[in-house]
Amino acid sequence: MGVEIESDIWEPNPALYIFLFVCCCLSIFYLPARATASNVFDHASSASFLRFQRNFLVLFALSSVLEGSRAVFGEYEFAIYKLTKDQMVNTLCIGYAASVLAGSFLGVVSDLLGHKKVVLLFCILHLCTSVWKIVVGAQVIWLGTITLSVASLIFSFSFEALMVVEHNKLGQRQDSLNDMFWLMTFFECACFVGSQAIGNYLINGDVNKNITNIWKESVVVALLIIVHLSRSWKENPKSASFKDYSVLFRRHVVGDKRVWLLSWVQACIHFSTAAFWILWAPTIVADGREVSLGLLYPCLLGFKMLGCTGFPWMSHGPLATRIEEYLMYAFVVIGVALTVVAYDYQEIEFLLIIFCLLHACIGLVLPSLARLRSVCVPNEIRGGMMSLSLVPANAAVFVMLLLRGYYQCIGNSTILAIAALGQFSAAWCMYTMKKWGKQLHLSEHSL
């Protein structure tokens, strides 16, 4: 008599999704008095700013759906096309190498030529890649990896730079800019979850047959963004020359130690996030555990949404404190979480708690760093500073993929440990900026 052994696939409790939804709704509804839901979308009753705010959030939401489709299903295509492990590693390495090369100049180009043009390039890259995949299929996977990696790089800096520049042109106060920072993180996560839901609907249970529906969706969304961007934005041509730009860059970036610290912090959080998303699945399915990873993805993004709503409370709410101070503790928590994941085997439930805590902290960190950049970095060089700060992070991921994938010199735990060390160093950077801020305040008070 044969015995059939059933294998249970672990899934999160459905009550967790209800809990996340209720918490996110409450966090929006009970924002601090200066950042209530009505005030967030009605600053100083300025019709021009309100129109800009809504147009930008529509643009950013559509772009997040486009980027989310790539983030959710991009690497899954490797398995569909039956790529070997070495081919997958090679593809990822090519993508990060392209990001390193493009990051060294794309931000500068964005500052000189205009952020709208670079955002338009983001849409064109997605559009062309999706059309190529529909027509050619698997033969274009290498080229698609390069173009989509460059598009992801643009997504990481150009939309924020565009929003800040246009915001300042309208002469709005700082409170409205702070709200836009956390709203961008909130909308990004919500649209990533929406991309997963749309993708699952389009695939309809048959990945091999319906995978082209994902690319067709990307074509439609990219065309909508191009039309919206062309009709809603009229960007003035840049008048600054490269010589003037380089002088301004050296004066504010090279000569300001705060910018160096912010660049390092940005690189650390980018590297840690990239390392996590590459290794989270192998970590949670260790020892042959079967887990429904698609159900964990929205949980992580939900906690990131919840974390970003803490920014109004920490910046100008009842819990208001210095940004450097609470960021210092947030980086320590992220570092401890990565250390636990790296060196301590845990059950799935505990790992999920650690992952959710980590993403809640990241959700708080991202708008806070954007706020610090607004204080320390002039808008004229914001894109260049952000893209250049991502170069060492992408280069580090590239090296880690080579050492782990090809040469088997290091393990997953070592990569996560390096990411944890980066977070502890980011906490030290925040401590240093906090100390410098206190010294500057005391010197001004003595004068």
Side-chain angles (χ1 to χ4, degrees), residues 64-367:
S64 299
V65 171
L66 196 60
E67 184 68 13
S69 298
R70 183 255 181 183
V72 174
F73 297 98
E75 296 178 7
Y76 190 64
E77 296 177 19
F78 299 162
I80 296 175
Y81 293 133
K82 296 180 172 55
L83 269 65
T84 64
K85 180 181 178 181
D86 289 341
Q87 289 174 325
M88 292 182 184
V89 172
N90 194 20
T91 303
L92 290 174
C93 288
I94 289 175
Y96 279 100
S99 297
V100 171
L101 295 176
S104 61
F105 67 89
L106 259 182
V108 176
V109 171
S110 179
D111 290 328
L112 289 174
L113 299 183
H115 302 295
K116 174 185 173 181
K117 296 181 178 65
V118 179
V119 170
L120 188 61
L121 175 61
F122 164 84
C123 303
I124 293 174
L125 289 174
H126 273 283
L127 177 62
C128 294
T129 304
S130 300
V131 172
W132 291 338
K133 288 182 178 181
I134 293 172
V135 176
V136 181
Q139 300 176 16
V140 80
I141 193 168
W142 304 96
L143 183 59
T145 300
I146 295 174
T147 55
L148 292 182
S149 296
V150 175
S152 295
L153 176 68
I154 295 174
F155 183 80
S156 64
F157 74 86
S158 197
F159 287 90
E160 178 186 317
L162 174 66
M163 186 274 294
V164 173
V165 170
E166 294 298 323
H167 175 275
N168 287 348
K169 285 181 181 178
L170 295 173
Q172 292 297 311
R173 64 180 188 267
Q174 188 64 44
D175 289 348
S176 59
L177 183 61
N178 293 342
D179 289 330
M180 290 297 288
F181 287 145
W182 73 262
L183 281 172
M184 286 178 65
T185 304
F186 192 91
F187 271 64
E188 177 187 342
C189 296
C191 292
F192 274 28
V193 176
S195 298
Q196 184 190 31
I198 295 172
N200 289 333
Y201 173 78
L202 294 175
I203 287 175
N204 195 24
D206 192 342
V207 179
N208 295 319
K209 180 181 179 181
N210 299 324
I211 186 64
T212 56
N213 291 340
I214 302 296
W215 307 328
K216 294 176 183 177
E217 174 222 350
S218 297
V219 170
V220 173
V221 176
L223 290 174
L224 287 175
I225 297 173
I226 292 174
V227 172
H228 178 73
L229 190 63
S230 302
R231 297 182 62 180
S232 302
W233 255 270
K234 293 182 179 179
E235 191 173 49
N236 297 327
K238 299 291 182 177
S239 58
S241 64
F242 180 77
K243 181 179 180 180
D244 296 333
Y245 181 87
S246 60
V247 171
L248 185 65
F249 195 91
R250 286 196 300 269
R251 182 189 308 161
H252 290 279
V253 175
V254 179
D256 192 343
K257 295 180 180 179
R258 297 178 303 168
V259 177
W260 283 94
L261 294 179
L262 275 179
S263 299
W264 176 253
V265 170
Q266 183 68 29
C268 289
I269 195 68
H270 184 78
F271 173 78
S272 298
T273 304
F276 173 85
W277 284 114
I278 292 174
L279 299 177
W280 80 285
T283 300
I284 208 165
V285 298
D287 296 342
R289 296 182 293 198
E290 296 189 41
V291 183
S292 182
L293 298 176
L295 296 178
L296 299 186
Y297 182 77
C299 293
L300 304 183
L301 294 180
F303 273 92
K304 188 175 177 182
M305 294 168 65
L306 197 57
C308 75
T309 58
F311 174 68
W313 292 86
M314 303 300 293
S315 60
H316 51 260
L319 303 177
T321 184
R322 287 182 61 90
I323 295 179
E324 298 92 333
E325 184 169 354
Y326 71 75
L327 279 184
M328 179 176 61
Y329 296 114
F331 285 126
V332 170
V333 172
I334 296 174
V336 171
L338 290 172
T339 304
V340 172
V341 174
Y343 289 113
D344 190 10
Y345 177 85
Q346 298 290 344
E347 294 298 327
I348 297 176
E349 292 83 356
F350 187 79
L351 279 178
L352 181 59
I353 294 174
I354 293 295
F355 289 172
C356 290
L357 177 63
L358 185 149
H359 276 80
C361 291
I362 292 177
L364 177 62
V365 163
L366 293 180

Side-chain angles (χ1 to χ4, degrees), residues 377-400:
V377 182
N379 294 334
E380 294 82 2
I381 57 175
R382 191 185 188 99
M385 175 266 178
M386 292 181 66
S387 66
L388 287 172
S389 67
L390 299 179
V391 170
N394 289 321
V397 177
F398 174 77
V399 172
M400 294 301 170

